[in-house]
């Protein structure tokens, strides 16, 4: 949602609405992570009264969906695509191939035997 | 030969003291594993590269010293637009009429 979006664009990679959205989700998650973990602790703690635990459960489910880690998806920094992204290079397989063949990725070499 | 439970519990207590672990004979869940987890936020938030300085920033920075910076991409773009206009393939000019009239015209066309 737009309330989590940075007022000024702070992305240096390929920019489209999907990467902007994913970036704001990441930042929202970072901001609310401690709160989420605290609620999760209360929920898991069996020594606390059942009522507090239920309330914590409710609070956790009612937090904004942008603060959930499962909303985050690794996207390509060169094309913004969400599928076939190599985690080590943050690129889709095609962009990775192009960059590797151009020699832009240190230590990456085409195999041949 | 069976050992009484109290004795085993005593042993557990001493063992916990020695290895400085929590004495929890009933196996009650205290949720400590949540507190032990590391925070993943900073690592996840630094996935995308942040904005670096652009050519526009350079131009702004050098303007007071009367230094000229060439923005090649922008020059190429403008050149391309001029070429399009010469061939009559440029983007149309903005309409001067108020928005309501344009809407009516667009509605009639359909």
């Amino acid at each position: 949602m737009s309330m989590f979006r940075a007022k000024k664009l702070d992305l240096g990679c390929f920019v489209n609405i999907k990467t902007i959205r994913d970036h704001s989700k990441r930042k929202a998650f970072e901001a609310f992570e401690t709160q989420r973990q605290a609620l999760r602790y209360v929920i898991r703690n069996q020594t606390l009264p059942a009522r507090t635990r239920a309330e914590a459960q409710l609070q956790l489910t009612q937090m904004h969906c942008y603060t959930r880690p499962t909303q985050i998806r690794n996207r390509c920094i060169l094309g913004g695509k969400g599928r076939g992204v190599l985690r080590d290079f943050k690129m889709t397989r095609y962009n990775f191939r192009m960059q590797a063949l151009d020699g832009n990725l240190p230590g990456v070499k085409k195999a041949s035997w | 030969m069976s050992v009484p439970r109290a004795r085993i519990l005593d042993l557990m207590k001493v063992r916990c003291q020695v290895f400085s672990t929590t004495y929890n004979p009933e196996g009650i869940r205290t949720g400590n594993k949540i507190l032990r987890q590391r925070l993943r936020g900073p690592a996840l938030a630094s996935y995308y590269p942040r904005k670096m300085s652009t050519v526009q920033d350079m131009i702004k920075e050098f303007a007071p010293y009367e230094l000229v910076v060439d923005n090649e991409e922008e020059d190429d773009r403008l050149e391309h637009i001029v070429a399009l206009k010469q061939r009559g393939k440029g983007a149309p000019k903005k309409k001067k009429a108020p928005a309501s009239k344009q809407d009516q015209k667009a509605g009639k066309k359909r």
Side-chain angles (χ1 to χ4, degrees), chain B residues 4-106:
Chain B
R5 179 159 169 78
R7 203 163 154 66
I8 291 183
L9 288 184
D10 277 351
L11 173 66
M12 269 176 77
K13 206 175 224 171
V14 174
R15 197 195 282 155
C16 288
Q17 274 176 8
V18 169
F19 295 108
S20 67
T21 49
T22 349
Y23 176 62
N24 185 6
E26 273 85 50
I28 295 170
R29 298 180 186 190
T30 54
N32 275 335
K33 76 171 186 182
I34 305 289
L35 299 184
R36 251 182 284 125
Q37 284 170 358
R38 294 183 182 196
L39 293 181
R40 301 189 290 142
L44 286 174
S46 62
Y47 179 82
Y48 296 109
R50 296 306 159 95
K51 195 165 206 157
M52 312 280 278
S53 60
T54 57
V55 181
Q56 282 298 326
D57 294 338
M58 295 274 284
I59 292 172
K60 263 186 211 165
E61 201 68 19
F62 283 127
Y65 308 105
E66 296 180 1
L67 293 169
V68 179
V69 183
D70 279 349
N71 186 354
E72 280 190 25
E73 280 183 22
E74 182 70 5
D75 291 345
D76 284 350
R77 191 180 74 88
L78 294 177
E79 210 171 284
H80 179 67
I81 288 174
V82 168
L84 281 180
K85 288 235 166 105
Q86 279 177 352
R87 285 185 285 141
K89 303 280 188 190
K93 276 186 182 167
K94 278 208 170 179
K95 281 179 185 169
K96 292 275 169 71
S100 58
K101 277 187 182 176
Q102 282 182 26
D103 287 347
Q104 283 172 1
K105 277 182 190 171

